[in-house]
């Protein structure tokens, strides 16, 4: 069964974006960037890979699911297929995709359930927070790029998730001189569905 991994940048106080949806406070330079490019190239948008002269391997992730607001950031930049190297899904009930390479789903829980049964590499949950809250019980792994900033308000890591004991075990922790910490977790046995 394929795993769903929530790989996302967050603030120290668990915000994945400012109240206006931007993430400009997060560090996009520093000694942690080599790890992001080397180990997580599958998560780099196509235009970024082109600019860096790299190609992702598709061995970590071959599918991405994102909320409309996450997808809209690419649309605002004129990019209708942000991850052309991945199979792309956007969760929304009210919008249509602007690219034949992007599949819209009104039921992300059922979509993830079906994707997990297919053969292939991992499934990347790219955000946003409300979608992560909807899919929280399907998340197998967390990879958090924790930035040394407190936003105080903004988009929560798991928006709208109801209270429940969902336990994860830390499997790896790397701290960088930039102040960024990459923390990796896997769901504990019995820690959710």
């Amino acid at each position: 069964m394929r795993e769903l991994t929530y790989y996302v940048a967050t603030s120290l106080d668990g915000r994945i974006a400012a109240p206006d949806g931007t993430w400009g406070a997060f560090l996009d330079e520093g000694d942690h960037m080599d790890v992001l490019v080397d180990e997580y190239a599958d998560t780099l948008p196509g235009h970024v890979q082109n600019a860096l002269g790299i190609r992702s391997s598709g061995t970590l992730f071959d599918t991405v699911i994102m909320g409309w607001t996450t997808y809209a950031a690419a649309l605002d930049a004129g990019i209708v297929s942000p991850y052309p190297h991945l199979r792309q899904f956007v969760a929304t009930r009210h919008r249509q995709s602007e690219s034949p390479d992007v599949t819209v789903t009104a039921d992300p829980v059922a979509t993830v359930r079906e994707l997990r049964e297919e053969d292939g590499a991992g499934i990347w949950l790219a955000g946003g927070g409300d979608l992560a809250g909807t899919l929280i019980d399907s998340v197998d792994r967390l990879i958090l790029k924790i930035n040394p900033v407190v936003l105080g308000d903004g988009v929560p890591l798991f928006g709208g998730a109801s209270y429940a004991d969902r336990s994860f075990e830390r499997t790896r922790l790397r701290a960088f001189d930039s102040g960024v910490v990459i923390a990796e977790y896997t769901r504990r046995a019995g820690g959710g569905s």
Side-chain angles (χ1 to χ4, degrees):
M1 179 181 290
R2 301 191 325 158
E3 290 186 332
L4 177 66
T5 300
Y6 188 22
Y7 169 79
V8 68
T10 183
S11 64
L12 291 170
D13 56 342
R15 304 297 178 174
I16 63 170
D20 65 359
T22 62
W23 50 85
F26 296 159
L27 298 176
D28 60 1
E29 57 184 43
D31 57 335
H32 65 284
M33 292 303 295
D34 286 341
V35 170
L36 301 185
V37 171
D38 293 342
E39 294 181 28
Y40 303 105
D42 291 345
T43 67
L44 296 174
H47 70 281
V48 173
Q49 289 188 27
N50 290 338
L52 295 175
I54 63 171
R55 285 275 167 239
S56 64
S57 65
T59 56
L60 184 60
F61 302 115
D62 65 9
T63 304
V64 61
I65 186 165
M66 64 192 109
W68 181 263
T69 303
T70 301
Y71 179 55
L75 292 178
D76 291 346
I79 301 167
V80 296
S81 179
Y83 303 100
H85 53 286
L86 301 175
R87 196 165 152 205
Q88 302 170 85
F89 291 85
V90 174
T92 180
R93 290 187 175 94
H94 308 291
R95 312 260 169 103
Q96 294 299 315
S97 168
E98 296 190 20
S99 169
D101 297 328
V102 176
T103 302
V104 170
T105 177
D107 189 347
V109 174
T111 298
V112 166
R113 188 179 312 116
E114 291 169 10
L115 290 169
R116 288 169 59 123
E117 295 300 322
E118 297 175 357
D119 291 331
I123 306 160
W124 169 37
L125 169 56
D130 287 342
L131 178 59
T134 299
L135 292 172
I136 190 169
D137 291 322
S138 299
V139 173
D140 300 293
R141 295 180 62 219
L142 296 169
I143 302 175
L144 305 177
K145 300 170 284 183
I146 305 166
N147 286 261
V149 61
V150 173
L151 297 180
D153 193 10
V155 179
L157 191 60
F158 289 100
S162 60
Y163 174 78
D165 182 359
R166 298 172 179 100
S167 299
F168 286 80
E169 178 180 1
R170 190 185 74 225
T171 56
R172 192 171 187 192
L173 185 69
R174 293 180 277 179
F176 299 89
D177 291 338
S178 64
V180 170
V181 172
I182 299 177
E184 300 181 33
Y185 301 87
T186 57
R187 183 177 297 278
R188 287 187 191 272
S193 51

